Amino acid sequence: MSDIFFSGNWEGEYTYEENYFQDRRDICVAFSIAMEVKDGLVKGHCIDDEKGGGAANPAIIEGFIEGNFISFLKRYDHFWYTENNEVNHVPSVPSHEVHYSGFFEEDQFVGKWEITQQYIDGDGFSHELAFFGTWTMKKA
């Protein structure tokens, strides 16, 4: 596959795995990605379906494609989270990063996503949370 093939508009969905918060499990969120691939580098933006609990504004994506493997980070313009199926925006806090990786096979990308968050508790101890899910994406 070539940079020209991978450049363009893509439609997909992501799901949350069992380690995610109870109210988000078994939810599929549709998204669309417009990406440009040049010399294997991926740049573009992603729009999540707000009805599925996604962010209101497009996220920036940056990464690479090597052979049929893709890896990219998705960054929103600010931090947001869902609680009790309600989206909460925190514009003063920087976005979390979502790392997507997967393979192009049988006319679609199939892979996993991961969010890793670090925080310091009230006693000053550092902790790390990791959340996972799956995703697929086809050329629009």
Side-chain angles (χ1 to χ4, degrees), residues 4-5 33 37 44 59 62-64 68 71 87-88 102 113 128 137 140:
I4 292 171
F5 174 80
I33 287 182
V37 181
E62 294 179 300
F64 69 91
N68 69 334
S71 176
V87 179
N88 299 284
W113 61 262
E128 184 173 280
M137 180 170 78

Side-chain angles (χ1 to χ4, degrees), residues 21-71:
F21 301 109
Q22 182 76 30
D23 65 339
R24 301 305 299 160
R25 292 182 200 158
D26 301 323
I27 292 177
C28 288
V29 178
F31 66 83
S32 60
I33 287 182
M35 67 180 179
E36 180 181 335
V37 181
K38 185 173 181 184
D39 299 326
L41 297 178
V42 174
K43 290 187 178 197
H45 66 273
C46 177
I47 299 173
D48 294 345
D49 180 8
E50 272 191 271
K51 289 177 270 182
N57 297 325
I60 301 298
I61 63 165
E62 294 179 300
F64 69 91
I65 293 178
E66 189 173 299
N68 69 334
F69 177 75
I70 189 170
S71 176

Side-chain angles (χ1 to χ4, degrees), residues 109-128:
F109 283 104
V110 176
K112 297 257 186 188
W113 61 262
E114 176 181 354
I115 299 172
T116 305
Q117 295 274 118
Q118 292 190 338
Y119 70 95
I120 296 175
D121 67 19
D123 296 324
F125 293 102
S126 179
H127 299 274
E128 184 173 280

Side-chain angles (χ1 to χ4, degrees), residues 59-105:
I60 301 298
I61 63 165
E62 294 179 300
F64 69 91
I65 293 178
E66 189 173 299
N68 69 334
F69 177 75
I70 189 170
S71 176
F72 61 89
L73 289 177
K74 180 163 86 171
R75 292 180 193 94
Y76 298 95
D77 63 347
H78 65 273
F79 183 75
W80 64 273
Y81 64 97
T82 57
E83 187 172 35
N84 299 322
N85 291 321
E86 188 174 315
V87 179
N88 299 284
H89 296 273
V90 188
S92 61
V93 175
S95 167
H96 55 281
E97 294 181 341
V98 186
H99 177 240
Y100 282 73
S101 62
F103 292 91
F104 187 78
E105 45 195 40

